[in-house]
Structures are given as structure tokens and as C-alpha cells.
Amino acid sequence: MSRTFVEVAGKRLPLSNLEKDLYPSYGFTKARILEYYRRIAEFILPHLHARALTLKRYPEGVEKDFFFEKRCPSHRPAWVKTAEIRRDDHEKMTVCLVNDLETLIWVENLASLELHVPLARTGSPETPDSMVFDLDPGHQANILDCAKVALILRDLLSGLQLACYPKTSGKKGLHVYVPLNRKEATFKETKEFSKAVAVIMQKNYPDLVTAKMAKEYRKQKVFINWSQNDATKTMICVYSLRAREKPIVSFPLAWKELENLTGRDDAEQLQVLHSEAISRTEKQGDLFRDVITKKQKLPYL
């Protein structure tokens, strides 16, 4: 195993196997993955801050086996910040907090290509900062169908005086986030609200939308997965890489851009590669910043 030592924010970090190609069909080494996360750090860190990280590790690359790691590895450096949370069985578990660049680089050296976080911070685990609509295309549907649903959802929520923000999942679907950022918010409230909206959309757009989880109901439709609004669930963090053939990123979009891309009927345009993610964030900033700052209250339906 080759090893290189670097200094990040005053911390000495050993980096291993930088030459290993973790996206072999594309040609993207661990060194390039580390460089991507270094350059995107300014934008991704606010969305990771104080959230229990679930690592999804691909030590042999995206074409080989992976594993999830919810517990913060015991071999972590002493300076890695952690938090204690309770699992479903009420047992305590120590989790990693990626609050700074040095921790982000340490995590990526573990080949955790994907970064998954809950909708709540560890200091208030029962208080979601946002509500999410996870738009998942069924068989014979695609991300453009998700875009159509997202635009309908935007207009519906706008009528309720709620702003929302879309991002690609980095895979087949889209995520629409509704920021709350209120101490009074609960997962019970967000789950009931999102399910009600999903059922309303299913009733009004039965050929396009389903609110039912069973796969037999999803053919040629978009499933609005309202169940993600739960303290035990995680979502792929905005700006995280995804473990696909190419290093595609879960990336935020402006609504106007989503409208234009839907009109072109080109699904490929909704897949944002690492290089485009860097250039676009450096040019336009963080399109998802309002998700962690804007305060909104859910109305009664």
C-alpha cells in the first residue's frame, strides 16, 4: 500500500493508494476524488455540518463491493469531531461529524465516495431542518418525468406560500427540499404533510404520479417517496459524488434551468459530472444555501 503524507488545516494526514482507479470505466483515481472534495468543500461542508454521517465505502472502486458504515471508525484521528446518537434499538452509537476540510479529506481517504446524512442535526435529532420529496422514476419512466413532477410540485407548494429547491439525486431521480429551520418542526408533521401532498398529486395526475411504495404501481410513473421524512432515514448530501460508471454529482438546479432542460427532452443534461459541478459552483455559488437558512412553517392541509 502506497502512502503519502499531506498537511490540511494544520493536521498531518496519511493518504493511501492515491493512484487507485475507483471509477475504472471512466478513469478517476482516488487522488482526483480527493481533489474534487477539496475544491467543493466550501459548498458541501455547510450541508454536512453537525449531521451524523453514514459512510458508503468503495475500497476497490465502484464496480466492486461496497459497505455502509454508520459508526465512526475507531481508528479515526483524535481531532475528528463525533456525536453520540441513539439507534432504533436505543443503543448509543458514535457517529462522525464532517464539520471541516481535514475531516472531509480523511473520510474520502477511506473511499467513502458517497456521503449520506439525515434531515436533522445531531443536536436536535427529532427536528428536521427540511422536508423532502424524493422523486423516483419507475420502470419506463425517467428523470425527465421526475422533472415534470417537480415543476408541478413547485407550483402546488408555491400556492401554499412554501419555497422549495430541487437537486438531482445523482442517479435516476430528483429531490425537492422544502426548508423549515424551525425548532417546532417534527418528523411526524413533515411525513404526514408530504404524504398528503403525494396523495393529492396522485389523484390529480394518475398517469404520472404514484404515492404507493409497491413497485407494481410505479410502471411509467414517478413515485413520490414521502417516507424519507423520518428521523431514521438519510439522503445523499448535495454535492456528493455517486458511485456510478462516471463520477456524477448530486447537484442543485435553478427552477428555470429545470424548465429549460425539460423542454429539450434530454435526460443526459440532468446528469452533472464532477468537473461541471466545480465550475458551476465556483461561478454561481451554492444554489442550495437557502435550504439550511430559510425559515418556513408548514400550513395545515
Side-chain angles (χ1 to χ4, degrees):
M1 179 175 69
S2 62
R3 180 171 292 185
T4 302
F5 286 88
V6 297
E7 187 169 301
V8 180
K11 308 292 192 306
R12 192 166 185 259
L13 277 169
L15 304 179
S16 59
N17 299 323
L18 294 178
E19 71 288 349
K20 181 176 282 189
D21 193 349
L22 297 183
Y23 288 80
S25 297
Y26 182 82
F28 202 63
T29 63
K30 185 194 272 192
R32 295 185 68 189
I33 290 164
L34 290 168
E35 177 63 8
Y36 168 76
Y37 277 109
R38 183 190 68 80
R39 294 185 65 183
I40 207 72
E42 174 188 351
F43 306 102
I44 194 173
L45 284 173
H47 299 280
L48 291 169
H49 189 268
R51 298 183 195 275
L53 178 69
T54 295
L55 295 83
K56 192 176 182 183
R57 296 175 60 179
Y58 290 80
E60 301 303 322
V62 298
E63 296 177 0
K64 300 290 180 67
D65 292 341
F66 66 87
F67 62 95
F68 286 99
E69 195 165 11
K70 288 184 174 289
R71 293 184 183 275
C72 197
S74 58
H75 57 77
R76 63 185 178 270
W79 41 262
V80 170
K81 294 180 177 62
T82 62
E84 295 286 325
I85 65 171
R86 290 193 179 276
R87 304 194 316 174
D88 292 348
D89 58 9
H90 302 296
E91 180 187 345
K92 285 188 176 180
M93 179 169 63
T94 301
V95 295
C96 297
L97 302 179
V98 182
N99 293 347
D100 47 51
L101 175 60
E102 54 268 38
T103 304
L104 180 60
I105 297 302
W106 172 74
V107 163
E108 290 313 314
N109 188 56
L110 298 177
S112 180
L113 305 183
E114 297 188 1
L115 303 173
H116 296 253
V117 288
L119 294 169
R121 300 177 191 268
T122 54
S124 50
E126 299 300 324
T127 305
D129 296 318
S130 57
M131 176 176 64
V132 67
F133 294 89
D134 182 357
L135 308 184
D136 184 15
H139 180 59
Q140 295 183 348
N142 62 24
I143 197 169
L144 292 172
D145 297 303
C146 293
K148 294 172 187 174
V149 173
L151 292 167
I152 296 169
L153 183 59
R154 174 200 61 180
D155 294 343
L156 188 158
L157 293 172
S158 178
L160 298 172
Q161 306 300 309
L162 290 172
C164 58
Y165 303 85
K167 73 177 178 74
T168 66
S169 70
K171 289 195 172 180
K172 298 184 297 179
L174 291 174
H175 300 151
V176 177
Y177 277 66
V178 179
L180 301 173
N181 299 302
R182 297 170 59 89
K183 291 185 291 185
E184 301 84 2
T186 67
F187 278 106
K188 181 178 184 294
E189 177 185 34
T190 56
K191 183 176 283 189
E192 289 178 351
F193 188 97
S194 59
K195 183 177 182 180
V197 169
V199 169
I200 289 168
M201 289 189 64
Q202 175 184 266
K203 182 177 180 180
N204 286 278
Y205 303 92
D207 295 331
L208 181 60
V209 172
T210 181
K212 298 178 181 178
M213 291 189 185
K215 290 196 174 180
E216 61 262 30
Y217 296 108
R218 301 193 199 182
K219 187 177 180 181
Q220 297 180 317
K221 297 180 183 181
V222 174
F223 170 47
I224 300 181
N225 189 353
W226 45 268
S227 71
Q228 288 298 116
N229 295 288
D230 192 286
T232 65
K233 300 289 184 69
T234 62
M235 297 290 294
I236 188 72
C237 188
V238 66
Y239 304 115
S240 173
L241 291 171
R242 298 308 303 258
R244 302 183 61 185
E245 182 179 347
K246 298 177 181 179
I248 289 171
V249 176
S250 178
F251 197 78
L253 303 169
W255 284 113
K256 189 65 177 176
E257 178 185 11
L258 196 61
E259 290 173 0
N260 293 338
L261 292 173
T262 305
R264 291 180 202 160
D265 199 31
D266 185 356
E268 284 296 311
Q269 292 296 313
L270 283 164
Q271 304 295 349
V272 178
L273 275 170
H274 65 100
S275 53
E276 184 183 353
I278 292 292
S279 61
R280 288 178 60 167
T281 49
E282 289 179 347
K283 181 179 179 180
Q284 64 193 20
D286 180 10
L287 287 179
F288 232 50
R289 59 187 173 272
D290 284 354
V291 170
I292 53 176
T293 60
K294 189 176 184 66
K295 294 186 177 182
Q296 299 186 115
K297 183 177 182 179
L298 296 181
Y300 290 105
L301 287 182

